[in-house]
């Protein structure tokens, strides 16, 4: 079975795929101070609670936009699963062109979203990912990743609004029944929800104008189902798109997977 690790700015998501379906998915807040042993105590207990045997995990792949977290995640795979994990970087075979000016600057999550969406839905398309940032990742009709748009994430905007204005409370994101808020809280919620609907619809319309009138729109990220309630824009909701990207990348580079035999010297764990 395959262990997939998606380390984002907010959460690290662990998931196990058995070759046909996802068997478990767990998340923990991202911290570059969390050690491999701390990850292991938490993760192994959850895997066993799901009725799975950690010993049947024989492959692993890590995608991260937090370089400082990679050391401990790689050590987790090596010491606790005896696996040499693949790292979702440009050294792997992605199977599609990354046609941008500086490919090394594109976050692994954006490349993974593009890969999974291209395989599952075909281009031309744009993936809207509701993460720490709200990203728009574009794949053209050739199947090439050609760039996109990065905007502030919803929760970042909420926190900035609260911190910058002394009298504005911290709110949770949610759809309002009316655009016009009758209180400060509902006015803020309306501004965030309908403001982001306007942002998404406007940016996607401009991307479609530049790219192709038949562009498909894919939504992913934890808030995708909520924002899909406010627009008919999305052709598909794919909450596990980044994980699917890691799975597909792992399958494409299957010959590079390897086991770790015996004890791994501390010097070999350094990156």
């Amino acid at each position: 079975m395959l262990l997939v690790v998606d380390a984002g700015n907010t959460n690290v998501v662990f998931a196990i795929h058995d070759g046909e379906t996802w068997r478990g998915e767990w998340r923990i807040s991202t911290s570059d101070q969390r050690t491999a042993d701390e990850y292991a105590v938490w993760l192994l207990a959850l895997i066993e609670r799901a009725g799975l045997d950690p010993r049947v995990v024989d492959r692993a792949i890590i995608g991260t936009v937090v370089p400082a977290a990679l050391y401990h995640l790689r050590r987790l795979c090596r010491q606790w699963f005896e696996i040499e994990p693949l790292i979702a970087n440009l050294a792997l075979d992605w199977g599609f062109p990354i046609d941008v000016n500086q490919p090394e600057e594109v976050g692994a999550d954006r490349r993974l979203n593009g890969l999974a969406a291209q395989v599952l839905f075909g281009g031309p398309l744009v993936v809207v990912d509701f993460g720490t940032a709200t990203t728009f990742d574009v794949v053209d009709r050739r199947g090439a990743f050609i760039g996109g748009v990065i905007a502030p994430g919803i929760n970042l905007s909420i926190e900035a609004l609260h911190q910058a204005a002394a009298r504005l409370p911290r709110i949770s994101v949610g759809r309002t029944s009316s655009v016009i808020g009758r209180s400060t809280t509902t006015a803020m919620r309306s501004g965030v929800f309908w403001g982001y609907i306007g942002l998404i619809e406007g940016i996607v319309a401009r991307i479609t104008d530049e790219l192709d009138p038949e562009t498909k729109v894919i939504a992913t990220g934890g808030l995708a189902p909520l924002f899909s309630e406010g627009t008919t824009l999305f052709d598909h909701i794919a909450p596990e798109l980044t994980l699917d990207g890691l799975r597909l990348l792992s399958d494409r580079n299957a010959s590079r997977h390897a086991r770790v035999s015996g004890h791994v010297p501390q010097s070999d764990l350094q990156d």
Side-chain angles (χ1 to χ4, degrees):
M1 288 197 288
L2 172 68
L3 173 65
V4 163
V5 185
D6 174 26
N9 289 299
T10 304
N11 292 309
V12 183
V13 181
F14 297 84
I16 288 181
H17 198 275
D18 66 4
E20 295 183 0
T21 188
W22 294 106
R23 298 291 300 276
E25 180 181 327
W26 310 275
R27 64 188 60 230
I28 191 170
S29 60
T30 302
S31 170
D32 57 12
Q33 300 301 312
R34 188 171 286 112
T35 68
D37 295 340
E38 289 174 311
Y39 279 124
V41 169
W42 172 83
L43 180 60
L44 293 174
L46 289 172
I47 290 174
E48 292 175 352
R49 188 174 179 83
L52 302 173
D53 185 347
R55 291 173 297 181
V56 302
V57 175
D58 58 358
R59 295 176 297 144
I61 185 166
I62 301 170
T64 181
V65 295
V66 186
L70 179 58
Y71 169 79
H72 295 293
L73 292 171
R74 179 178 271 168
R75 185 172 181 177
L76 166 72
C77 294
R78 288 171 169 174
Q79 289 204 318
W80 290 92
F81 292 92
E82 297 183 351
I83 297 169
E84 183 63 43
L86 297 183
I87 310 300
N89 56 33
L90 293 175
L92 297 183
D93 174 12
W94 286 76
F96 71 149
I98 302 174
D99 189 8
V100 297
N101 292 338
Q102 294 173 303
E104 68 280 359
E105 290 187 354
V106 180
D109 55 341
R110 298 182 60 206
R111 297 195 303 267
L112 291 163
N113 285 344
L115 169 62
Q118 187 255 47
V119 171
L120 297 174
F121 307 111
L125 61 86
V126 55
V127 177
V128 184
D129 188 349
F130 296 90
T132 305
T134 301
T135 58
F136 301 76
D137 302 316
V138 181
V139 175
D140 68 11
R141 192 173 287 276
R142 299 172 299 153
F145 179 93
I146 61 170
V149 176
I150 301 175
I154 292 97
N155 288 321
L156 279 177
S157 297
I158 290 173
E159 191 63 24
L161 194 62
H162 167 67
Q163 291 187 2
R167 293 180 63 84
L168 295 182
R170 181 179 283 109
I171 61 167
S172 59
V173 61
R175 181 181 181 180
T176 58
S177 57
S178 171
V179 174
I180 301 172
R182 300 294 294 268
S183 68
T184 297
T185 299
T186 56
M188 292 174 67
R189 284 205 178 104
S190 179
V192 170
F193 184 85
W194 296 111
Y196 268 87
I197 291 293
L199 170 77
I200 294 158
E201 291 179 337
I203 289 179
V204 168
R206 290 177 180 271
I207 289 173
T208 300
D209 286 345
E210 288 185 20
L211 181 65
D212 193 305
E214 297 181 2
T215 298
K216 295 180 281 291
V217 185
I218 319 301
T220 191
L223 292 174
L226 172 65
F227 279 89
S228 70
E229 298 174 6
T231 182
T232 59
L233 183 67
F234 303 129
D235 296 295
H236 302 280
I237 307 295
E240 295 172 338
L241 196 64
T242 311
L243 298 181
D244 280 325
L246 283 163
R247 173 180 61 83
L248 291 164
L249 187 63
S250 168
D251 290 345
R252 188 168 187 86
N253 293 270
S255 63
R256 302 194 186 197
H257 283 286
R259 303 286 306 197
V260 173
S261 58
H263 175 68
V264 182
Q266 182 70 22
S267 60
D268 290 344
L269 295 169
Q270 304 294 332
D271 295 316

